[in-house]
């Protein structure tokens, strides 16, 4: 018994050391990359890209289900994006509210018999609408296919440009976001097959006409702590993975993809809960199988604002869904795990996501009790136990502060000093409680997976139509 | 048992204690850096805003040829920033006035000097800024920077040579495009800025062995050339590379080359769908009504991309006929589009 406890305690400690060493490595990489990026940002001639006839066209894909509250504002802001050649394709995915009618009224839509591609499957399309006023707007009214993947595929079959940008209907893109996220493609169109931008938290911001006009922190601490989480995930994690061309996640809220490749691999997979991560893994896999040089890049400037959950109930659903999506993707692509044929992807990125993301709740939840038992049984000295806890908390704090500093030095979106102070305080406290409850939700997701639960659950968002703070 | 526990834990404990101390110090330093950065950047931004407000009227006057007069070092730097931005938006006399101001400035000399800096980002920034300063005398240095060891520097130099419309750089820019030593789109944009003088070199690129180079060259000839260049492009409708055939067809459409109609109609039988689509689009852009029957046929019977492009070509050729057309989903679409868009 005591041997087992010692073994588990040892594994916990080793795991802790390894995962934090990786995080620190990522943080160091992100510092180097973002500081270089900041210097190079002054030499990005966006206006010249905007006016160039060589800039490729982009179809913006907007899957919408019961988005009546904000869909008109959202589509209008997408039509106004600064980009030389883009169209907006909205799918009304069997909404039960008046999403479609609001679009028809606002954009003077009329039914058209649009030719749709047949190479990507989606639920039956009932009608396509074109606009009298906006020749670059299409609205596809289709039956609900049971998930976001089916809805995006419904957009994809109507898209006409070489690149597609998938975004959430309730997300807000900054005016230059499309130009910025397309930049790696413009630099190297033969090699770059997909790019993703940063997703930021819109709760607490002031919105006007579908644009964020003032950045603020949410009042709720639960939402505010997610601001920090997003900094870490995007400014550290994605920058790090992108630097070794092993970026597995491009957020479903904002990603740009080469259309021909997406079609070749069959579009977004309707069976997948985490359709965004699965699509990117499939793209990696396909390009490796074709043995073609390629890159999938994260770009830190283009911003997509999105709403995060403000209640534990909704947040738990979101985190369980993310964990289920990751587990399902890893299972479907298990062939990649530790497979040298797939290079960094197979040997580093996928194993990392398996051991340090998907399986981490087991260690995070079960490890500490074993360490406590080891301490109670006298296998671990009290001083050692306390010192270990102190190191764990300080290290967690340091990683958050480093991410916060990256944001502060490079972007400074949160202008009010008291908000910065609040984020520092949250960084101190998130390691006690928030992190553990997150691990618990992700642990519960194992049982969801075993039960075959695949739904999204009700995400209850306020939407763009609701007056902002 | 406890003896073994303490024997194992003792050295570890020391390590942990030191790690904890180091982390505590790092955390304090991290928070202090955050506060310092916030204060420093806020002061810098406030100062920058004040200076910009001060120099903006001077910059606007300079565009009209009025000298800004004596400025302190901070204001001079702010003026450099403002003028660099304006320089991207103006042409003709205002740009010449900007060039005249920079030609004798310390900022210009510093940028020239920085082209040989050790740090890549300095060289990149200098190569980029020189394009905005608009001083033609900088072109020899920028042409040298086109051979820099770093791609970013080469790209910035290419962009600036385009902004300076340096005709002497055409050969090196086309070579940079062909060898992909700068991003193709960056080199292509620079050649587009230079305009018609780049055409001869671009036409020569059409004979290069690399298909990607021939395709880009075809695309640029379509943007810079004239109907005179159609025969060479028509030859490339039979190029072994589908990408080149596609770009040659698109280019012929952009040039509105009526002489290419029959060759483009033949290209509607190309074995590759996207080439047929490009040929159909080009026929629509040229506007020769004789192509309508064959385009209608393609719209009824070809694969998705080609049929779709053919249907829209019919819409471009004859909107009224398009509104009455039928016989395929693509023709149905253009009939409805013609109706909805009036």
């Amino acid at each position: 018994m005591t041997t087992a406890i010692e073994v588990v305690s040892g594994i916990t400690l080793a795991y802790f050391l390894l995962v934090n060493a990786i995080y620190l490595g990522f943080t160091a990489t992100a510092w180097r990359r973002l500081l270089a990026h900041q210097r190079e940002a002054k030499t990005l001639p966006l206006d010249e890209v905007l006016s160039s006839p060589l800039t490729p066209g982009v179809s913006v894909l907007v899957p919408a289900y019961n988005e009546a509250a904000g869909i008109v504002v959202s589509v209008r802001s997408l039509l106004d994006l600064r980009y030389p050649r883009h169209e907006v394709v909205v799918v009304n995915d069997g909404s039960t509210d008046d999403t479609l009618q609001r679009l028809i009224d606002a954009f003077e839509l009329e039914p058209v018999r649009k030719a749709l591609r047949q190479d990507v499957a989606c639920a039956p399309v009932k009608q396509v609408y074109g606009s009298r006023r906006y020749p670059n707007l299409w609205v596809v009214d289709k039956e609900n296919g049971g998930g976001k993947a089916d809805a995006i595929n419904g957009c994809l079959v109507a898209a006409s440009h070489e690149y597609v940008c998938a975004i959430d209907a309730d997300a807000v893109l900054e005016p230059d976001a499309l130009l910025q996220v397309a930049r790696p493609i413009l630099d190297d169109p033969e090699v770059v097959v997909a790019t993703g931008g940063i997703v930021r938290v819109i709760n607490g911001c002031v919105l006007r006409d579908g644009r964020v006009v003032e950045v603020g922190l949410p009042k709720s601490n639960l939402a505010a702590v997610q601001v920090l989480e997003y900094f870490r995930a995007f400014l550290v994690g994605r920058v790090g993975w992108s630097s070794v061309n092993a970026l597995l996640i491009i957020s479903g809220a904002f990603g740009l993809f080469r259309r021909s490749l997406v079609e070749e691999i069959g579009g977004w997979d309707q069976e997948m809960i985490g359709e965004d991560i699965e699509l990117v893994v499939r793209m990696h896999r396909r390009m490796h199988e074709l043995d073609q040089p390629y890159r999938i890049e994260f770009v830190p400037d283009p911003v997509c604002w999105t709403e995060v959950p403000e209640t534990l109930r909704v947040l738990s659903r979101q985190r369980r869904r993310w964990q289920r999506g990751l587990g399902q993707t890893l299972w479907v692509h298990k062939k990649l795990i530790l497979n040298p044929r797939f290079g960094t992807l197979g040997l580093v990125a996928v194993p990392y996501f398996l051991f340090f993301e998907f399986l981490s709740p087991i260690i995070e939840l079960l490890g500490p009790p074993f360490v406590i038992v080891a301490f109670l049984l006298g296998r671990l000295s009290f001083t050692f136990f306390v010192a270990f806890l102190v190191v764990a908390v300080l290290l967690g704090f340091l990683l958050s502060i480093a991410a916060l500093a990256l944001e502060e030095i490079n972007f400074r979106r949160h202008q009010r000093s008291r908000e910065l102070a609040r984020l520092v305080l949250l960084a101190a406290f998130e390691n006690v409680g928030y992190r553990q409850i997150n691990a618990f939700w992700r642990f519960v997701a194992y049982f969801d997976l075993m039960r075959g639960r695949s739904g999204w659950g009700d995400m209850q968002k306020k939407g763009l139509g609701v007056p902002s703070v | 048992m406890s003896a073994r526990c303490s024997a194992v834990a003792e050295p570890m404990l020391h390590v942990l204690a030191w790690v904890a101390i180091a982390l505590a110090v790092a955390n304090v330093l991290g928070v202090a850096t955050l506060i310092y950065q916030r204060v420093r950047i806020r002061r810098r931004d406030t100062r920058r805003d004040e200076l910009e407000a001060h120099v903006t009227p001077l910059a606007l006057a300079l565009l009209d040829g009025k000298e800004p007069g004596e400025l302190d070092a901070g204001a001079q730097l702010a003026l450099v920033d403002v003028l660099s931005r304006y320089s991207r938006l103006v042409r003709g006399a205002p740009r010449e006035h900007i060039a005249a101001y920079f030609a004798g400035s310390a900022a210009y000399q510093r940028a020239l000097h920085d082209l040989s800096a050790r740090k890549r980002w300095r060289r990149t920034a200098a190569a980029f800024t020189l394009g905005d300063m608009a001083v033609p005398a900088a072109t020899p240095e920028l042409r040298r920077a086109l051979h820099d060891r770093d791609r970013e520097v080469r790209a910035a130099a290419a962009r600036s040579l385009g902004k300076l419309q340096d005709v002497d750089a055409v050969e090196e820019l086309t070579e940079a495009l062909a060898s992909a030593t700068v991003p193709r789109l960056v080199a292509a944009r620079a050649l587009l800025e230079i305009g018609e003088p780049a055409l001869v070199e671009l036409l020569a690129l059409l004979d290069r062995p690399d298909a990607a180079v021939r395709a880009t060259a075809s695309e640029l000839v379509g943007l810079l050339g004239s109907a005179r260049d159609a025969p060479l492009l028509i030859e490339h409708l039979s190029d072994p590379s589908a990408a080149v055939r596609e770009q040659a067809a698109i280019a012929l459409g952009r040039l509105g080359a009526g002489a290419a109609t029959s060759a483009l109609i033949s290209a509607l039988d190309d074995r590759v769908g996207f080439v047929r689509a490009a040929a159909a689009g080009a026929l629509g852009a040229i506007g020769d009504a004789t192509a309508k029957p064959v385009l209608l046929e393609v719209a009824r019977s070809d694969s998705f991309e080609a049929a779709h492009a053919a249907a829209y070509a019919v819409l471009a050729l004859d909107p009224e006929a398009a509104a009455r057309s039928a016989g395929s989903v693509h023709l149905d679409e253009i009939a409805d589009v013609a109706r909805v868009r009036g």
Side-chain angles (χ1 to χ4, degrees), chain B residues 1 35 45 63 91 125 190 264 294 315 336:
Chain B
M1 185 188 75
I35 296 166
D45 289 353
L63 296 184
R91 284 184 178 272
L264 286 167
V294 67
L315 179 63
D336 285 359

Side-chain angles (χ1 to χ4, degrees), chain B residues 167-242:
Chain B
V167 176
D168 294 337
V170 166
E171 197 178 331
E172 282 167 279
L173 282 170
T174 45
E175 203 45 56
L177 183 146
S179 56
T181 51
V182 298
R184 285 226 165 91
L185 285 180
V186 174
R189 276 204 302 271
L191 289 164
L192 284 181
E193 290 262 14
I194 292 170
E196 204 261 337
L199 199 56
V200 175
E201 292 291 336
L202 287 172
L203 289 169
L205 282 189
L206 288 171
D207 294 329
R208 289 293 180 102
D210 184 345
V213 174
R214 296 199 302 280
T216 309
S218 303
E219 185 178 13
L220 294 178
V221 170
L223 291 162
L224 285 178
S226 67
R228 278 199 319 272
D229 306 308
L232 207 49
L233 290 169
I234 290 170
E235 276 178 34
H236 283 81
L237 288 176
S238 320
D239 194 282
S241 158

Side-chain angles (χ1 to χ4, degrees), chain A residues 6 36 39-40 42-45 47-49 52-54 56 110-117 130-132 135-136 138 157 185-190 259 377-381 383-384 387-388 390-391 394-395 397-398 401 404-405 408-409 412 414-417 420 424, chain B residues 1-2 4-5 9 12-13 16-17 19-20 23-24 26-27 30-31 34 37-38 41-42 44-45 88-89 120-121 124-125 128 132 151-152 159 163 183-186 188-189 192-193 212 219-220 223 254 304-305 308 312 329-330 332-333 335-337 339-342:
Chain A
E6 277 175 349
R39 287 192 290 259
E40 284 159 12
K42 290 171 188 160
T43 59
L44 305 180
D47 285 328
E48 289 158 31
V49 174
S52 171
L54 302 168
E110 290 207 11
V112 290
R113 293 165 292 172
K114 185 161 174 58
L116 302 171
R117 278 190 199 77
S131 168
R132 279 192 177 282
N136 60 336
W138 301 100
V157 296
I185 287 168
L186 302 175
D187 279 352
D188 218 341
E190 285 93 11
R259 195 192 79 201
L377 292 176
R379 313 300 298 181
L380 211 59
S381 81
T383 332
F384 183 91
F388 179 73
V390 169
V391 166
L394 286 174
L395 200 49
F397 183 60
L398 182 66
I401 290 296
L404 199 49
E408 182 65 14
I409 291 168
R412 289 183 299 284
H414 293 273
Q415 293 284 328
R416 296 187 199 104
S417 295
L420 184 66
V424 170
Chain B
M1 185 188 75
S2 333
R4 195 186 68 168
C5 169
M12 284 283 285
L13 196 57
L16 271 184
V19 169
L23 285 172
N27 276 318
V31 175
L34 269 179
Q37 280 289 338
R38 172 59 57 122
I41 291 168
R42 182 157 288 183
R44 187 197 65 191
D45 289 353
R88 295 170 209 163
L89 307 171
R120 184 190 71 186
W121 67 269
T124 308
F128 187 88
D132 290 339
R151 199 170 193 236
E152 285 80 0
R159 175 257 181 200
K163 297 299 284 178
R184 285 226 165 91
L185 285 180
V186 174
R189 276 204 302 271
L192 284 181
E193 290 262 14
E219 185 178 13
L220 294 178
L223 291 162
R254 279 182 173 144
F304 190 97
E305 298 291 344
H308 203 67
Y312 273 88
V329 287
H330 305 284
D332 289 345
E333 176 177 333
D336 285 359
V337 167
R339 174 178 52 78
V340 169
R341 293 180 191 164

Side-chain angles (χ1 to χ4, degrees), chain A residues 191-326:
Chain A
V191 172
V192 179
V193 296
T195 62
I198 188 167
V199 174
R200 290 176 180 273
V201 174
I202 204 169
N203 312 46
C205 296
V206 178
L207 274 169
R208 194 171 300 137
D209 299 329
R211 298 261 182 259
V212 171
V213 291
E214 194 181 320
V215 177
L217 267 189
K219 283 182 183 157
S220 137
N221 282 330
L222 188 64
V225 82
Q226 291 171 72
V227 173
L228 265 181
E229 261 190 315
Y230 278 48
F231 287 167
R232 273 201 311 273
F234 285 89
L235 299 179
V236 177
R238 306 228 176 146
V239 170
W241 286 118
S242 178
S243 68
V244 290
N245 196 26
L247 183 66
L248 291 197
I249 307 175
I250 287 180
S251 169
F254 183 31
L256 184 66
F257 307 94
R258 187 190 286 173
R259 195 192 79 201
S260 59
L261 179 60
V262 176
E263 286 172 351
E264 189 184 324
I265 60 175
W268 280 263
D269 190 333
Q270 298 159 32
E271 301 300 316
M272 290 289 151
I273 307 160
E275 74 292 325
D276 46 3
I277 177 171
E278 199 278 334
L279 179 85
V280 178
V281 173
R282 206 151 23 103
M283 288 180 111
H284 274 292
R285 193 170 169 173
R286 178 68 180 154
M287 295 308 286
H288 270 281
E289 283 165 354
L290 292 172
D291 200 19
Q292 284 181 6
Y294 77 98
R295 283 206 319 273
I296 294 178
E297 287 202 11
F298 172 72
V299 194
D301 307 291
V303 176
C304 170
W305 296 93
T306 191
E307 194 180 327
V308 298
E310 293 204 358
T311 65
L312 286 171
R313 194 169 57 88
V314 180
L315 184 63
S316 78
R317 281 181 189 161
Q318 183 196 55
R319 297 307 156 101
R320 282 161 65 182
R321 177 166 54 79
W322 286 0
Q323 177 78 341
R324 290 198 306 270
L326 176 61

Side-chain angles (χ1 to χ4, degrees), chain A residues 24-230:
Chain A
L24 284 171
F26 274 172
T27 305
T29 307
W31 267 91
R32 194 171 51 80
R33 300 275 296 194
L34 284 178
L35 289 178
H37 179 82
Q38 189 194 24
R39 287 192 290 259
E40 284 159 12
K42 290 171 188 160
T43 59
L44 305 180
L46 282 184
D47 285 328
E48 289 158 31
V49 174
L50 180 69
S51 60
S52 171
L54 302 168
T55 306
V58 173
S59 300
V60 181
L61 314 182
V62 191
Y65 175 72
N66 287 351
E67 298 282 355
I71 192 67
V72 171
V73 176
S74 178
V75 170
R76 197 161 275 148
S77 77
L78 291 172
L79 288 166
D80 287 343
L81 285 175
R82 266 164 44 92
Y83 199 84
R85 212 152 48 97
H86 80 290
E87 65 177 1
V88 177
V89 183
V90 185
V91 154
N92 175 46
D93 193 33
S95 299
T96 51
D97 65 3
D98 61 344
T99 298
L100 179 63
Q101 193 54 49
R102 290 201 187 191
L103 286 167
I104 290 172
D105 295 342
F107 299 104
E108 296 178 31
L109 300 180
E110 290 207 11
V112 290
R113 293 165 292 172
K114 185 161 174 58
L116 302 171
R117 278 190 199 77
Q118 303 297 317
D119 40 9
V120 172
C122 67
V125 170
K126 293 191 275 189
Q127 181 65 61
V128 181
Y129 295 84
S131 168
R132 279 192 177 282
R133 284 163 51 205
Y134 301 93
N136 60 336
L137 172 64
W138 301 100
V139 175
V140 179
D141 182 29
K142 66 182 266 296
E143 289 175 12
N144 186 286
K148 187 177 163 188
D150 188 82
I152 312 178
N153 285 341
C155 300
L156 185 64
V157 296
S160 64
H161 288 306
E162 301 131 89
Y163 291 91
V164 291
C165 178
I167 76 153
D168 284 349
D170 58 351
V172 173
L173 288 191
E174 294 201 335
D176 279 336
L178 206 50
L179 274 176
Q180 288 168 326
V181 82
R183 188 178 155 87
I185 287 168
L186 302 175
D187 279 352
D188 218 341
E190 285 93 11
V191 172
V192 179
V193 296
T195 62
I198 188 167
V199 174
R200 290 176 180 273
V201 174
I202 204 169
N203 312 46
C205 296
V206 178
L207 274 169
R208 194 171 300 137
D209 299 329
R211 298 261 182 259
V212 171
V213 291
E214 194 181 320
V215 177
L217 267 189
K219 283 182 183 157
S220 137
N221 282 330
L222 188 64
V225 82
Q226 291 171 72
V227 173
L228 265 181
E229 261 190 315
Y230 278 48

